[in-house]
Amino acid sequence: MDSNLPCLLLFVLVGWVESSSDNVTRHFDYCVLGAGPSGLQMGHFLSKAKRDYIILERNAGPGSFFHKYPRHRKLISINKIHTGRQNQEFNLRHDWNSLLSDRRDLLFKRVSSEFYPPADAYPLYLSLFEKELGLRVRYGVDIGRIRATQSATGRSYVLTDQHASDYKCSVLLVATGLWVPQQVEFVGSELVEGYESISTNPDDYRDQAVLILGKGNSAFETAQSIMGRASRVHMLSSSPVRLAWQTHYVGDLRAVNNELLDTYQLKSLDGLVEAQLEKMVIVQRKEEGRRRSGGNKTEKKKKKRHLYLTLNKYIQNQEKRNRSDATAEELPAYHIDNFSMRKSYDRVIRCLGFRFNFSVFDSSACPPNSENAKGRLPGVTAWYEGKKTPGLFVLGTAAHSRDHRQSAGGFIHGFRYTARAVHRVLEHRYHGNPWSSTKLLTTQLQSWILKRAGEASGTYQMFEVLGDVILLRGSHCQYVEEFPVQALPQFSALSGHEVSGQGLIVLVMQYGKKKIDFLGRNRAETDWTKAWKSNFLHPVLYYYDKLPTEEEIKLRPSGWPLPRPKALHHMVEDFLTEWDSPISHIQPLRRFLEHCVQTDLRAFYAESCFRWTLTHRKPPLFCQQGYLKQQGVVHDSRLWQHAHDAGLMPTEQDAGTSGADPAFPSYLAHTGAAVSSGLKLDL
């Protein structure tokens, strides 16, 4: 017998065992599909909660999208490191790249200090985030099919990779982002180059006429890169350009990319045009050119391809509309001699953005197309669960249909908070843990609202989408942070908190709805009596005596994040975004809160409380919860410690018999939130 035969048999057996092990179905409670920023963000929350999860990524490292995009390698997400503040929550308002974690040092500034960072820095940051938090990521797993199965234990999802291995999970969290180029079908589209494959070397466009389809940031980024070399750059889309500083939507054209607007408005050959892409045709004509050879002065004819834009209605032979060549009679200049785009182009480039990859889902697991965003995104509920796909949640940019062209949910500085909201939904639904909240005395509510308005980053970035919900319960209240406001009809089921008969207050950040000149003289409102006319971002409080219904959410006034409340309060916009002015901000807020809770919320010194106690049957709530429990007005932790050391504050032993409610966290008093009037907050 051949001496090599046993070795050969052993090799085959080992290979068979390994192959068999690859085909074993792996079970997890949670599968996160994609190791981009939203996938790693969710991975952190699952890891922190000690859940059974796996992150599956088809590439060799995290954030693979940023290895290629944006093509010209500059991010437009703000990286403002120096704010003059040490408050990390406040600083996240101006840090658009960092993910959320308990590590104060795990911020994007570790890899870049540039205000608009290089794109290559982001995969590096994500690698740090993954490794230093010990997230469970499996790379090189290319999921090609996702299907749903139903069993006695409930619905689950099965993901099949390129090796025919299955991953089965109870909850699927899709964090694949948008990476499939958006295309529009029209005659001649085969002559168009795509943003995903164009040359990024400006010299390749030297002295060329270029037509760019699209007017978003990718289109203007491309135009800005080549405008110094190209002979002319024209941009075409169905709608006029929208400027982010006018619309307050970060996905619209950012100033960092808009240099072509100068050359257009100052008439330097570049320009913008509006037309329906579906109605246009790109055709080519080969025209003869002449060039001289060597020194014999003989001329040779050379045919050069020229691309023209024309319209469907000018194509004469409708039966041959799929061809891309054209006669002179089919060009628009033949019909309109001053047609704006009558000259030929050397190149036409498509920059129309990206769409969600629906192809990996079979019919049992595929979420529907969104009703907005031209159906490019999956349709999801207000809590980011796929419509008609229970147990499948969409994270990150792909979940942007909830706030498309409204808020920041399609961008890192927005979806890091929506991912946290989804995790809180999961914790309650599958593990019985209610949405995290803070129990406050009603007299503490004003100070807490001012603190949140002045520093909270989640409601600030996800304005009109995430809001703080305050559950009123008489002498105390429950403060629930960053709840998706359009999910209020399902609040109790999603959060685990019940609404009492005394109602609730919702705090959201909003822009004004009136279209104005945002650089004009009267662009800002400073009169607190006209706070409802505020145009820039400002806090708005809605009071309801009961939860709004789904019908009320659906029929809310146009542009409103919530239906009409029983009472509404706008805090006047502030140039410094610090809503702490005694007359303009604090006093109107207190009056509104007093209307909602039907009690006096003023703060009193001990002498005033003493008089109230002697002269009134029922002293103000502040005196009941402060003075009558041996507590005076203490403004900050230093004064509190001084009073404690002087024996003016009750000891822990005394507190147990003084009637103080032990359910309230002791740290509130130390921060000054327990008894502060709100006139001065250490933010």
Side-chain angles (χ1 to χ4, degrees), residues 308 314 328-329 331-343:
Y308 288 87
Y314 296 144
E329 291 79 6
L331 300 182
Y334 182 85
H335 306 272
I336 306 173
D337 62 355
N338 67 339
F339 185 74
S340 58
M341 307 178 77
R342 58 188 178 273
K343 285 195 171 183

Side-chain angles (χ1 to χ4, degrees), residues 578-594:
E578 295 177 358
W579 290 274
D580 58 0
S581 301
I583 296 175
S584 296
H585 300 128
I586 297 176
Q587 181 172 288
L589 173 62
R590 176 175 60 79
R591 294 291 180 86
F592 171 76
L593 295 176
E594 288 175 339

Side-chain angles (χ1 to χ4, degrees), residues 356 358 361 363 365-371 375-381 385-389 392 394 398 401:
F356 183 71
F358 290 92
F361 298 89
S363 58
C366 189
N369 294 73
S370 60
E371 297 177 1
R376 297 186 299 116
L377 307 173
V380 295
T381 64
E385 190 170 17
K387 294 181 178 178
K388 302 179 182 179
T389 55
L392 184 154
V394 183
S401 63

Side-chain angles (χ1 to χ4, degrees), residues 543-582:
Y543 168 69
Y544 299 94
D545 57 359
K546 59 182 179 180
L547 283 173
T549 65
E550 288 191 42
E551 187 69 12
E552 288 172 335
I553 290 285
K554 184 178 179 181
L555 299 178
R556 66 188 185 277
S558 177
W560 285 41
L562 288 167
R564 293 189 185 277
K566 291 291 183 180
L568 180 68
H569 177 67
H570 288 255
M571 296 178 68
V572 69
E573 58 188 321
D574 187 75
F575 183 70
L576 301 176
T577 63
E578 295 177 358
W579 290 274
D580 58 0
S581 301

Side-chain angles (χ1 to χ4, degrees), residues 501-674:
Q502 295 176 342
L504 66 153
I505 298 172
V506 183
L507 169 64
V508 296
M509 303 294 287
Q510 289 183 210
Y511 280 97
K513 303 305 176 185
K514 186 178 179 181
K515 291 185 178 181
I516 65 166
D517 179 1
F518 284 99
L519 294 179
R521 287 186 177 274
N522 299 316
R523 59 186 178 271
E525 182 59 63
T526 58
D527 184 352
W528 66 269
T529 65
K530 300 177 181 177
W532 58 276
K533 291 185 176 182
S534 295
N535 294 309
F536 292 88
L537 197 64
H538 63 285
V540 183
L541 293 96
Y542 294 73
Y543 168 69
Y544 299 94
D545 57 359
K546 59 182 179 180
L547 283 173
T549 65
E550 288 191 42
E551 187 69 12
E552 288 172 335
I553 290 285
K554 184 178 179 181
L555 299 178
R556 66 188 185 277
S558 177
W560 285 41
L562 288 167
R564 293 189 185 277
K566 291 291 183 180
L568 180 68
H569 177 67
H570 288 255
M571 296 178 68
V572 69
E573 58 188 321
D574 187 75
F575 183 70
L576 301 176
T577 63
E578 295 177 358
W579 290 274
D580 58 0
S581 301
I583 296 175
S584 296
H585 300 128
I586 297 176
Q587 181 172 288
L589 173 62
R590 176 175 60 79
R591 294 291 180 86
F592 171 76
L593 295 176
E594 288 175 339
H595 170 75
C596 296
V597 301
Q598 292 295 296
T599 191
D600 188 345
L601 293 180
R602 287 178 295 173
F604 297 91
Y605 287 97
E607 181 181 353
S608 299
C609 284
F610 179 68
R611 290 177 180 174
W612 273 97
T613 305
L614 294 178
T615 57
H616 291 76
R617 181 173 299 177
K618 186 177 181 181
L621 189 60
F622 182 88
C623 293
Q624 296 177 41
Q625 296 178 343
Y627 172 75
L628 294 181
K629 293 185 179 180
Q630 302 179 33
Q631 296 181 29
V633 174
V634 178
H635 289 289
D636 57 32
S637 57
R638 182 178 58 83
L639 288 177
W640 188 94
Q641 188 63 43
H642 176 74
H644 183 273
D645 294 342
L648 300 177
M649 300 297 289
T651 64
E652 291 183 10
Q653 206 170 23
D654 296 335
T657 59
S658 65
D661 188 346
F664 291 99
S666 59
Y667 65 82
L668 291 174
H670 292 70
T671 62

Side-chain angles (χ1 to χ4, degrees), residues 162-183:
Q162 73 272 34
H163 303 299
S165 297
D166 288 340
Y167 299 82
K168 189 173 184 179
C169 47
S170 302
V171 178
L172 173 59
L173 300 154
V174 180
T176 54
L178 307 179
W179 56 272
V180 180
Q182 173 76 354
Q183 301 189 36

